[in-house]
Amino acid sequence: MKGVWTALITPFDDNLKIDYESLEKLIEYQIENNIDGIVLFGTTGESPTIEDEEFFEVLKFIKNFNIDVIIGTGTNNTKKTIEKTKKAMDMGFYKFLIVSPYYNKPNFNGLYEHFKSILLTNAKIVIYEIPSRTGISIPIEILKMLKAEFKDSILALKFSNSDLDLLSRIILEVENLDVLSGDDNLTLPMMSLGAVGVISVLSNVYPKGIKELVYSALSDDFIKAREIHYKMYKLFKLAFLETNPIPIKYIAYKKNLIKTPYLRLPLSELSEKNKEIIDNFLKNE
């Protein structure tokens, strides 16, 4: 599994209901720019504040589009994750983003059994490593065990971790495991070590540039990839001025891709200071 997958934002209207008109516009924009696929209801999609009824309504809606989709069904409740995943599979979806359980801080066996139980449903999963949000890092031994036991059912590891030494060890020690960067600004460094793409926040608005960077690296043209990296470096930083997806929603709003930059609590709008920083950058693009 390689290339660029957009971690899609979830647009809301003035009443904080899902804005399907903006959602359609976002998806069509990704299709027009030949993105490899989208990830629905990951961190960027504000998954913690999406109600189950809304979740499945969006899945019905997404079936109208010819685009590859990964669905975020991971929670810190194994039973709930399995139920949600199975229901989505019944609707015809088969690729899922499964984050390591957050807050619970499971021990080694609990973490292994969590992923194993989900894989026993015959779902195909992207394992999501993001210790800054979950409080734990997935041990290499668990990745080895799961990959050996379930092989093709593990599509990739989304690596949202700045520990590039750990990434090197994973690529060296876990056979046939595709790794995708989970951080736009680290995509090039990770791909230089063997990652094969990115689940991108910035590609919500700049899919063409992110694709050009990734496919240059996949073609071993790291000189060109480095040029694109530095050309987009300011954007990488702007997209994370505050907690994701606060800034990217504001950028998408300013680019007329969505009608409002609104978020659901406990997230709130971008600060006035950071709005000004982004506005000044966009004026000079």
Side-chain angles (χ1 to χ4, degrees), residues 28 59-66:
E28 291 291 359
L59 293 201
K60 290 176 188 174
F61 181 76
I62 205 75
K63 291 178 79 69
N64 296 315
F65 302 91
N66 184 25

Side-chain angles (χ1 to χ4, degrees), residues 43-178:
T43 303
T44 311
E46 297 178 68
S47 56
T49 62
I50 303 298
E51 302 294 337
D52 284 353
E53 183 179 350
E54 295 176 310
F55 177 93
F56 291 109
E57 283 175 359
V58 171
L59 293 201
K60 290 176 188 174
F61 181 76
I62 205 75
K63 291 178 79 69
N64 296 315
F65 302 91
N66 184 25
I67 190 166
D68 209 348
V69 184
I70 297 170
I71 311 294
T73 54
T75 73
N76 62 343
N77 179 324
T78 307
K79 181 174 180 285
K80 183 175 180 180
T81 300
I82 290 170
E83 289 171 352
K84 206 169 188 179
T85 301
K86 281 183 173 179
K87 190 169 179 181
M89 289 172 71
D90 289 342
M91 295 174 68
F93 297 95
Y94 66 95
K95 295 179 181 177
F96 301 93
L97 180 70
I98 306 295
V99 68
S100 55
Y102 40 88
Y103 189 76
N104 315 57
K105 297 186 79 170
N107 60 9
F108 184 97
N109 190 58
L111 189 57
Y112 168 71
E113 291 293 339
H114 174 78
F115 284 110
K116 179 178 178 180
S117 298
I118 296 160
L119 284 160
L120 286 171
T121 67
N122 294 318
K124 294 186 182 297
I125 74 169
V126 175
I127 296 173
Y128 188 4
E129 155 86 353
I130 183 166
S132 64
R133 289 184 183 254
T134 63
I136 58 168
S137 184
I138 303 167
I140 291 177
E141 291 76 13
I142 287 180
L143 296 174
K144 284 182 183 177
M145 291 162 64
L146 292 171
K147 189 62 179 170
E149 189 170 353
F150 293 96
K151 298 185 176 69
D152 296 338
S153 292
I154 298 174
L155 300 172
L157 170 71
K158 179 185 178 185
F159 194 75
S160 296
N161 187 332
S162 60
D163 187 345
L164 298 185
D165 182 65
L166 175 60
L167 174 64
S168 295
R169 288 185 57 213
I170 289 169
I171 289 171
L172 276 172
E173 296 180 30
V174 187
E175 292 184 13
N176 302 313
L177 177 64
D178 287 343

Side-chain angles (χ1 to χ4, degrees), residues 2-6 29-37 184 187 191 197-198 200 202-203 206-219 224-225 228 232 236:
K2 64 182 180 180
V4 180
W5 295 73
T6 297
Y29 183 62
Q30 297 299 313
I31 293 170
E32 287 165 15
N33 283 279
N34 299 308
I35 211 72
D36 292 294
D184 282 300
T187 298
M191 292 190 73
V198 61
S200 171
L202 202 58
S203 61
Y206 298 94
K208 185 177 179 181
I210 299 296
K211 272 207 77 172
E212 192 176 8
L213 188 159
V214 165
Y215 277 89
S216 295
L218 285 172
S219 301
K224 183 177 180 182
I228 300 165
M232 301 191 75
F236 296 154

Side-chain angles (χ1 to χ4, degrees), residues 161-257:
N161 187 332
S162 60
D163 187 345
L164 298 185
D165 182 65
L166 175 60
L167 174 64
S168 295
R169 288 185 57 213
I170 289 169
I171 289 171
L172 276 172
E173 296 180 30
V174 187
E175 292 184 13
N176 302 313
L177 177 64
D178 287 343
V179 177
L180 300 172
S181 167
D183 295 296
D184 282 300
N185 64 313
L186 291 178
T187 298
L188 179 57
M190 287 187 188
M191 292 190 73
S192 74
L193 295 172
V196 294
V198 61
I199 293 178
S200 171
V201 171
L202 202 58
S203 61
N204 274 281
V205 183
Y206 298 94
K208 185 177 179 181
I210 299 296
K211 272 207 77 172
E212 192 176 8
L213 188 159
V214 165
Y215 277 89
S216 295
L218 285 172
S219 301
D220 288 328
D221 189 349
F222 281 94
I223 293 174
K224 183 177 180 182
R226 187 172 64 212
E227 289 174 356
I228 300 165
H229 169 85
Y230 282 115
K231 184 178 178 182
M232 301 191 75
Y233 187 74
K234 178 75 173 182
L235 282 167
F236 296 154
K237 292 302 180 183
L238 290 177
F240 292 90
L241 279 172
E242 296 182 23
T243 303
N244 178 50
I246 297 171
I248 195 64
K249 274 197 148 178
Y250 183 75
I251 296 169
Y253 166 68
K254 296 298 286 189
K255 288 284 195 177
N256 296 312
L257 285 169

